[in-house]
Amino acid sequence: MKASLTQPAVIGGLVGGVLSALPLIAGGNLCCCLWIVSGGAVAAYVLQQNQSLPIAPGDGALVGLLAGVIGAFVYLVLSIPINLLMTPMERVLFERLSETMSNMPPEFREYARSSMSAGVRLVLGFVLMLVLGAIFSTIGGWLGALIFRKKVPPGAIDLPAPGQ
């Protein structure tokens, strides 16, 4: 393959990572990892636009895999400031929730009050994005290669003459 995979993988990774890191919008990943699959499909689309001939589904899957890995790192970088902003609000919410629920275990109350829960959530989220991104973004790249495949230009395939 002559075209570079870097630009399509970065663009697809940015799409998947940014949409997966935003607090309310990230809920789209609950629907069959929508944003992760979309990142792989966008990467395959950009790869196809950079070439005159149709790309193979394997090329789309490869660029989707790279986009999924890049998307996990984009998710990690964006999740750090988002968690720093959201953790105080979540702590207040958990404290009010624990006050209203008297039968809540004391371990859960302590976990909700600790600041370590945000760090654990960040690490687990990154590992989950890395694994799911590699799997579902590869699927998205493969599907994107099939969906956005260019038609073969006329005369590009030598057909045998009739009677041969």
Side-chain angles (χ1 to χ4, degrees), residues 5-146:
L5 300 178
T6 306
Q7 180 194 20
V10 169
I11 292 172
L14 283 171
V15 168
V18 168
L19 292 175
S20 296
L22 296 174
L24 294 176
I25 296 172
N29 273 337
L30 296 175
C31 179
C32 302
C33 296
L34 176 66
W35 304 133
I36 300 171
V37 173
S38 298
V42 166
Y45 173 78
V46 173
L47 180 64
Q48 180 61 74
Q49 295 307 308
N50 291 340
Q51 295 189 27
S52 58
L53 295 175
I55 62 171
D59 294 335
L62 179 61
V63 76
L65 172 67
L66 296 173
V69 171
I70 291 170
F73 284 98
V74 169
Y75 171 84
L76 176 66
V77 169
L78 290 177
S79 291
I80 292 171
I82 290 172
N83 279 337
L84 289 174
L85 291 172
M86 298 297 286
T87 299
M89 291 185 282
E90 290 174 354
R91 187 171 298 131
V92 170
L93 179 68
F94 277 128
E95 286 176 4
R96 289 186 182 168
L97 184 65
S98 67
E99 290 171 1
T100 60
M101 298 180 75
S102 60
N103 60 352
M104 186 179 296
E107 295 86 14
F108 182 75
R109 289 181 189 184
E110 189 60 37
Y111 175 76
R113 289 188 184 120
S114 73
S115 61
M116 183 187 270
S117 63
V120 170
R121 186 176 57 225
L122 185 68
V123 170
L124 289 176
F126 171 69
V127 170
L128 192 65
M129 276 296 293
L130 193 60
V131 171
L132 291 179
I135 295 168
F136 286 99
S137 192
T138 301
I139 294 170
W142 179 75
L143 289 172
L146 294 175

